[in-house]
Amino acid sequence: GQQVMQIPQYQHVQEGEDFTTYCNSSTTLSNIQWYKQRPGGHPVFLIQLVKSGEVKKQKRLTFQFGEAKKNSSLHITATQTTDVGTYFCAGRGYQKVTFGTGTKLQVIP
Amino acid sequence: GAGVSQSPRYKVAKRGQDVALRCDPISGHVSLFWYQQALGQGPEFLTYFQNEAQLDKSGLPSDRFFAERPEGSVSTLKIQRTQQEDSAVYLCASSPFFTSGSSYNEQFFGPGTRLTVL
């Protein structure tokens, strides 16, 4: 079945440093979604990408979908303590969603 | 407006007991998903409903797990004869009808039910 891996599993950064998480799928994805889950909370939707090579920005967050639609990345510029949480990518199909393994971000003030 | 709600928020069961977890999706949302999230892991897909039809149940771990959405709104996930390995957070998510190629297929998650099986 489809597998979606993310690296790194954990990342500790100093506040103000940049952060990137990478998502890799074993199969081609029709789209990729990104979610953020705060400690003790539930996943919250950030964005969806559908086109090959697509790049979208949300303030300090930049999302990219690979040309082959098998990988994606999330880059955060100048991290803040409010960025703490686990970031998941997910491949959304018509009736099934496969979440990645997640990257847990810790920001040191 | 109201989001997705789940009840109970916490459930402790003795091994062998049956449990029922409820999900109230956002009104009008066609799609409803159930996920199982173990500690430190990502959500694992269990099953999908489009209105009252259960279109995919490939993620249900065993025949002890059963889900229904009889009127196309509220859904119940039932676990029979609970085992310790069933301990996890069970998440429900709803979304409008999925449109392939659309940039808007956001899933709205509920707070989850934390199940502990002793």
Side-chain angles (χ1 to χ4, degrees):
Chain A
Q2 181 182 69
Q3 290 186 323
V4 182
M5 304 296 294
Q6 285 182 250
I7 55 170
Q9 189 176 3
Y10 301 97
Q11 184 82 59
H12 291 78
V13 299
Q14 204 75 32
E15 188 173 18
E17 291 183 339
D18 292 355
F19 159 77
T20 304
T21 172
Y22 299 91
C23 173
N24 293 286
S25 171
S26 58
T27 59
T28 301
L29 301 167
S30 59
N31 61 72
I32 191 85
Q33 296 183 334
W34 284 92
Y35 291 81
K36 176 183 178 181
Q37 187 171 24
R38 293 181 185 273
H42 57 274
V44 175
F45 177 85
L46 295 176
I47 206 161
Q48 174 170 298
L49 307 173
V50 297
K51 298 176 183 176
S52 170
E54 188 171 12
V55 178
K56 287 190 176 180
K57 293 189 176 184
Q58 288 181 349
K59 297 183 180 178
R60 296 180 294 105
L61 278 61
T62 301
F63 304 84
Q64 188 164 6
F65 202 6
E67 293 290 342
K69 300 185 76 173
K70 293 183 72 174
N71 56 74
S72 181
S73 65
L74 159 60
H75 179 81
I76 302 178
T77 304
T79 54
Q80 301 175 357
T81 54
T82 53
D83 295 326
V84 164
T86 301
Y87 292 84
F88 293 100
C89 63
R92 167 98 197 241
Y94 173 63
Q95 57 194 44
K96 187 169 185 174
V97 181
T98 303
F99 273 78
T101 48
T103 296
K104 186 172 184 178
L105 172 64
Q106 295 275 23
V107 179
I108 304 163
Chain B
V4 178
S5 61
Q6 292 185 248
S7 61
R9 292 291 313 278
Y10 303 91
K11 177 69 178 178
V12 178
K14 292 183 179 178
R15 190 174 57 176
Q17 278 186 333
D18 297 350
V19 298
L21 312 180
R22 178 188 169 106
C23 171
D24 283 82
I26 292 174
S27 178
H29 276 191
V30 169
S31 301
L32 187 145
F33 296 83
W34 282 99
Y35 296 90
Q36 180 189 61
Q37 187 172 27
L39 190 63
Q41 305 294 318
E44 292 280 346
F45 169 86
L46 294 177
T47 189
Y48 166 72
F49 288 87
Q50 180 180 312
N51 295 309
E52 70 280 1
Q54 189 175 19
L55 298 187
D56 193 323
K57 54 182 180 179
S58 61
L60 296 176
S62 75
D63 57 8
R64 295 186 296 104
F65 287 71
F66 172 77
E68 60 182 4
R69 193 186 185 196
E71 297 179 356
S73 54
V74 171
S75 179
T76 304
L77 176 67
K78 297 179 180 177
I79 309 174
Q80 297 177 326
R81 305 181 303 281
T82 51
Q83 304 293 317
Q84 285 189 320
E85 60 263 28
D86 299 335
S87 296
V89 174
Y90 289 85
L91 294 165
C92 173
S94 72
S95 69
F97 187 75
F98 176 79
T99 304
S100 180
S102 167
S103 295
Y104 185 74
N105 283 307
E106 175 178 355
Q107 292 183 82
F108 297 82
F109 280 84
T113 294
R114 182 177 296 278
L115 173 65
T116 303
V117 182
L118 303 176

